[in-house]
Amino acid sequence: MKEERVAPAWEPISGERQFRLLVQSVVDYAIFMLDPTGVIRSWNAGAARMKGYAADEIIGRHFSSFYTEEDRAAGLPQRALATALSEGKFEAEGWRVRKDGTRFWASVVIDPIHDETGRLRGFAKITRDITERRKAQEALDEAREALAQAQKMEAVGQLTGGVAHDFNNLLQAIGSSLELIEHRLSAGRTDIAPFAATARAAVDRAATLTRRLLAFARRQPLKPERVDLNALVAGLWDLLVRSVGEEIRLEQRLAESLWPAHADVNQIESALLNLVINARDAMPGGGCVTVETADASLRPADLANEPGVEPGDYVVLTVRDSGTGMPPDVLARVFEPFFTTKPIGQGTGLGLSQLYGFARQSGGFVRIDSAVGQGTAVHLHLPRDHAATGSTTASAEQTAPATVPAPPAGRGTVLVVEDEELVRMLLVEVLEDDGYTTLEAADGTAALARLSEIGTGEKAGAKPPVDLLVTDVGLPGLNGRQLAEAAQARYPDLKVLFLTGYAFQTLDERSGDGEDGLGRNMRMLAKPVAVDAFRAMVRSILSDG
């Protein structure tokens, strides 16, 4: 007869004993109890395994024994209990110390325990050793950083090659034009106007390229103001229609009661025109381009892929096309400088990188949705203007110095500070041709010494010894902003004209109450500046009284 096996009868275990067995059986977590003062009152197998103490060695000691000397000196154990008591739980990660003195990275949770009457009976503490996980995360972070650095160096190499290629072409045009002018003048010929025009055009193209690079680097000078994007689109509509041609249908979907944006109007206009032209080029067989506006309130979760962008209200300008669209590998690179899918000679590859730089410098961002065969939508997000209701700009008027009615050249003394000798020589030549007395200095220190020399015997606050200080911003040592502030500290009425091709951030370090956010009696021109524009600005400043 076959013997049947009978399962052993279940031995009833009290709830309290079951709980003790459960806690004692856990080996991956240190689970133990503290009294209200932080003294250890229980100890499980996981705690013994993790921290190296047997129960009889540690029960009765304060739990701060596991903290580093630095954390104990900073009062971290006491703060942990206080936080658990005030907030209902304490959670943290940090270094903890084993019995043998070695350290491990721990994830810690402390919960207060109260009895039925609400009286604090102590704390439950759970610790997990996550040292290996932390090492893996650090290794992953290092790998990501190395990859990012490699990608950055690749982008720099691509940027350098693109800049060198474009500028070499421009230098070739300028150099060849100057050589032909010299040859014709030496031969007694005066028909040099075409070559002068070619050189001038090359200089203008170089200046445009530089502005795009500055926009990509987020170092261009901006004049943010309150902007009505709907009115801006309406004001540019005729130009946009002419730009796309007859085969492209241009439509607009503008949101009603649109919030005002806060950004540089000229840059928005340029961005809109470039985006519409890009959309046109993506539809060689014709199609539809739609310009849209909308409001958007974005939460932190909406900006998870936009590091550095603050949640809040944004105004969105979208240009959508029905063109060929972009595959994922192209979409991933569209913001890289000099990356373009257009044929050689039909694009610099700086348009979208310039847009990206402008948006980020303005406190906004750009997103692109695209798929092959489904078209592309570029969304420019600009911060909402929260200022009190007032006049809103629809389209900025370029007020270049050359367009300001120029008063006659006056008399006066101008101190020119420029470390590039050729540029300084040309500026001085222009000023002297206009009848001004000029002084020169190659850096800020020499300029201050020159001011002190010609102002000897005058008291601080007296009439400036020169009528105008013209200075480059990116000077070696004492920069142009520091020079101007030091000079105006002695001569508050001294007028200053900054010339800069790059160091706009130096001017933005301190906002003042003058034009363009500069200080009192300060103006700025961006290099390269036309001679007539420089002349007009100098006359304008000196005629202001």
Side-chain angles (χ1 to χ4, degrees):
M1 183 176 177
K2 188 175 181 181
E3 180 180 353
E4 279 191 25
R5 292 194 173 185
V6 180
W10 169 258
E11 179 184 350
I13 304 176
S14 68
E16 182 180 348
R17 188 180 175 200
Q18 285 186 47
F19 181 73
R20 281 203 308 270
L21 287 173
L22 173 64
V23 172
Q24 286 297 332
S25 300
V26 174
V27 294
D28 291 329
Y29 290 82
I31 304 175
F32 51 96
M33 297 284 296
L34 309 176
D35 72 8
T37 66
V39 173
I40 300 166
R41 293 305 182 193
S42 70
W43 199 246
N44 80 330
R49 176 174 173 269
M50 185 181 303
K51 298 177 183 288
Y53 293 93
D56 58 357
E57 294 178 305
I58 197 64
I59 291 177
R61 292 174 59 179
H62 198 272
F63 86 110
S64 59
S65 302
F66 310 130
Y67 283 73
T68 64
E69 290 184 9
E70 310 93 85
D71 287 346
R72 285 200 299 271
L76 188 57
Q78 291 75 17
R79 288 205 302 274
L81 295 184
T83 300
L85 197 56
S86 64
E87 299 182 8
K89 178 180 284 190
F90 171 81
E91 291 186 80
E93 292 184 5
W95 290 111
R96 296 295 183 266
V97 183
R98 297 187 177 92
K99 177 182 175 181
D100 61 7
T102 59
R103 296 186 177 193
F104 66 100
W105 191 257
S107 171
V108 177
V109 178
I110 303 176
D111 290 293
I113 298 176
H114 299 86
D115 61 18
E116 297 84 353
T117 66
R119 178 185 172 192
L120 178 67
R121 306 297 297 181
F123 298 88
K125 188 170 186 295
I126 302 175
T127 303
R128 187 181 183 189
D129 184 350
I130 57 171
T131 307
E132 294 304 317
R133 190 178 78 182
R134 185 171 189 265
K135 287 181 179 178
Q137 184 62 48
E138 288 177 343
L140 179 61
D141 291 342
E142 289 177 2
R144 286 174 174 169
E145 186 176 347
L147 176 61
Q149 183 65 22
Q151 290 173 333
K152 185 187 299 183
M153 294 307 296
E154 180 182 359
V156 169
Q158 187 176 21
L159 177 64
T160 304
V163 171
H165 174 269
D166 285 6
F167 270 102
N168 275 337
N169 285 340
L170 297 172
L171 290 173
Q172 177 69 52
I174 295 170
S176 297
S177 296
L178 292 176
E179 287 184 32
L180 289 170
I181 289 173
E182 289 176 348
H183 289 161
R184 292 202 173 187
L185 289 176
S186 63
R189 298 175 60 180
T190 59
D191 51 338
I192 60 173
F195 308 115
T198 298
R200 178 72 259 176
V203 170
D204 291 342
R205 287 179 57 197
T208 300
L209 179 59
T210 302
R211 284 194 295 272
R212 289 183 172 181
L213 290 170
L214 289 173
F216 169 72
R218 304 180 219 172
R219 296 182 184 275
Q220 63 180 334
L222 298 179
K223 294 181 180 179
E225 55 189 296
R226 190 179 179 92
V227 186
D228 181 344
L229 290 187
N230 284 351
L232 183 144
V233 171
L236 283 179
W237 198 250
D238 288 343
L239 174 60
L240 298 177
V241 171
R242 291 195 300 271
S243 299
V244 297
E246 296 180 355
E247 296 183 349
I248 305 295
R249 187 171 75 258
L250 194 61
E251 298 180 350
Q252 55 179 272
R253 297 174 187 169
L254 307 182
E256 295 182 3
S257 303
L258 187 72
W259 294 331
H262 186 73
D264 186 301
V265 178
N266 294 325
Q267 292 296 329
I268 300 173
E269 291 178 334
S270 176
L272 176 57
L273 180 59
N274 287 332
L275 288 176
V276 168
I277 291 174
N278 282 349
R280 177 202 66 189
D281 293 344
M283 300 181 294
C288 179
V289 177
T290 306
V291 179
E292 306 170 4
T293 59
D295 298 330
S297 294
L298 303 180
R299 301 164 299 175
D302 301 321
L303 300 168
N305 297 321
E306 304 294 342
V309 177
E310 297 293 329
D313 293 339
Y314 291 84
V315 189
V316 188
L317 177 63
T318 298
V319 174
R320 190 184 305 274
D321 68 59
S322 59
T324 55
M326 293 180 280
D329 59 324
V330 172
L331 187 60
R333 300 186 60 192
V334 291
F335 293 131
E336 294 180 12
F338 291 102
F339 176 77
T340 179
T341 57
K342 294 180 180 180
I344 294 176
Q346 293 187 21
T348 63
L350 280 173
L352 288 176
S353 62
Q354 178 186 11
L355 179 67
Y356 177 88
F358 158 61
R360 283 307 185 101
Q361 189 179 353
S362 301
F365 61 98
V366 183
R367 281 181 178 165
I368 300 181
D369 300 322
S370 187
V372 175
Q374 298 181 25
T376 299
V378 182
H379 311 280
L380 172 60
H381 293 70
L382 296 171
R384 176 184 180 183
D385 191 306
H386 288 280
T389 303
S391 61
T392 303
T393 302
S395 179
E397 295 181 1
Q398 290 274 13
T399 311
T403 65
V404 177
R411 298 183 179 275
T413 302
V414 182
L415 173 58
V416 179
V417 188
E418 167 64 63
D419 58 319
E420 178 58 56
E421 185 177 358
L422 291 176
V423 176
R424 189 172 70 248
M425 177 191 71
L426 291 172
L427 293 175
V428 168
E429 185 73 20
V430 171
L431 291 168
E432 290 183 346
D433 278 351
D434 278 0
Y436 298 103
T437 301
T438 60
L439 302 171
E440 300 180 41
D443 56 51
T445 303
L448 287 178
R450 198 69 193 272
L451 284 173
S452 297
E453 174 188 337
I454 59 179
T456 300
E458 294 181 349
K459 296 180 180 179
K463 182 181 182 299
V466 299
D467 298 284
L468 175 65
L469 170 65
V470 175
T471 179
D472 184 24
V473 175
L475 296 172
L478 201 67
N479 67 46
R481 180 72 189 230
Q482 293 166 333
L483 164 62
E485 289 176 347
Q488 286 190 336
R490 176 165 184 145
Y491 303 107
D493 293 330
L494 177 65
K495 296 179 179 180
V496 180
L497 172 59
F498 293 109
L499 302 179
T500 182
Y502 177 75
F504 302 108
Q505 281 190 333
T506 303
L507 295 178
D508 292 338
E509 286 171 358
R510 302 177 187 174
S511 61
D513 56 3
E515 184 177 341
D516 300 331
L518 301 175
R520 178 173 174 268
N521 287 332
M522 291 181 177
R523 304 283 289 277
M524 184 192 76
L525 282 176
K527 293 179 179 177
V529 57
V531 169
D532 287 343
F534 174 66
R535 280 181 166 138
M537 178 64 85
V538 170
R539 294 177 184 178
S540 175
I541 294 173
L542 292 178
S543 67
D544 285 343

